[in-house]
């Protein structure tokens, strides 16, 4: 049984409903949204419209829509930022580093000298990824780095508009 993180209200449902400025693109099954924590400038996530937690919960249509949306925004990120690479990843359960119980697929333009605190490079060992069983996510151990990469609404809006302008037609 995969243990899910606890977050109420769900920040991704709130973003979809009330923080429309975070949305880069939307489709029938997915939304592409900016990540408020810009470990890399331009990093974003493709989320499902439905509040479902993990890959295991997705319908066939959602599976297809997620990867199509991820490819579209990856194309825009390449045009916008000329990154050295595009990292995609997706966490299922607290022991994989999932922090919000709403499916999200990360699409990240990687640049030299980035400042990752959490994410695949830091999940090389299981102990590094794991949380205490039964506890909600408590990110205080990584608080400083998170603080540093928390972007303002103004900067996020500018980033959203820039990426959106480079989406394929
Ligand atoms: Zn949600």
């Amino acid at each position: 049984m995969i243990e899910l993180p606890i977050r109420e209200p769900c920040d991704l449902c709130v973003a979809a409903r009330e923080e429309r400025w975070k949305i880069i693109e939307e489709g029938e099954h997915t939304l592409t949204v900016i990540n408020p924590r810009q470990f890399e400038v331009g990093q974003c996530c493709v989320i499902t419209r439905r509040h479902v937690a993990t890959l295991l919960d997705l319908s066939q249509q959602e599976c297809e829509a997620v990867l199509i949306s991820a490819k579209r925004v990856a194309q825009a990120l390449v045009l916008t930022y000329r990154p050295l690479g595009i990292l995609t990843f997706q966490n299922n359960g607290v022991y994989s580093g999932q922090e919000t119980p709403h499916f999200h697929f990360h699409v990240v333009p990687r640049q030299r000298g980035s400042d990752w605190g959490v994410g695949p490079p830091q999940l090389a060992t299981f102990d590094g990824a794991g949380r205490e069983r039964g506890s909600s996510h408590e990110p205080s151990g990584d608080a400083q780095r998170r603080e540093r990469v928390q972007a303002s609404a103004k900067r996020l809006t500018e980033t959203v508009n820039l990426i959106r302008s480079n989406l394929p037609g």
Side-chain angles (χ1 to χ4, degrees):
M1 178 68 183
I2 289 178
E3 185 179 334
L4 298 176
I6 298 163
R7 185 173 290 197
E8 289 176 10
C10 170
D11 57 330
L12 294 180
C13 282
V14 169
R17 205 172 49 233
E18 298 166 25
E19 298 170 341
R20 307 284 299 169
W21 54 270
K22 285 186 179 171
I23 298 171
I24 295 166
E25 185 173 44
E26 52 188 318
E28 187 181 351
H29 300 290
T30 61
L31 301 170
T32 302
V33 298
I34 196 74
N35 189 326
R37 293 194 207 113
Q38 296 278 283
F39 289 97
E40 294 274 14
V41 173
Q43 77 175 84
C44 56
C45 290
V46 176
I47 71 172
T48 47
R49 279 193 183 276
R50 286 198 306 144
H51 178 88
V52 290
T54 76
L55 179 67
L56 303 170
D57 301 311
L58 298 190
S59 70
Q60 184 78 21
Q61 286 176 317
E62 286 168 332
C63 286
E64 292 170 6
V66 165
L67 215 52
I68 289 167
S69 298
K71 180 182 175 184
R72 286 178 57 79
V73 79
Q75 289 174 295
L77 291 171
V78 165
L79 280 176
T80 306
Y81 297 108
R82 303 277 169 208
L84 298 176
I86 296 282
L87 171 69
T88 62
F89 66 99
Q90 189 268 322
N91 305 318
N92 299 282
V94 289
Y95 287 89
S96 80
Q98 186 179 12
E99 297 176 8
T100 290
H102 185 136
F103 178 91
H104 54 289
F105 185 93
H106 294 268
V107 184
V108 184
R110 297 305 307 264
Q111 304 285 8
R112 208 182 299 282
S114 63
D115 187 19
W116 282 74
V118 292
Q122 284 67 40
L123 297 180
T125 63
F126 188 80
D127 286 348
R131 323 263 188 233
E132 286 298 313
R133 191 154 193 81
S135 67
S136 60
H137 176 60
E138 170 43 65
S140 62
D142 201 37
Q144 270 192 335
R145 184 180 280 105
R146 285 162 187 276
E147 185 74 23
R148 201 158 58 235
V149 299
Q150 184 71 39
S152 69
K154 180 173 180 293
R155 207 179 109 207
L156 291 172
T157 302
E158 290 166 1
T159 303
V160 164
N161 290 335
L162 189 59
I163 297 170
R164 191 187 287 143
S165 73
N166 281 318
L167 282 169

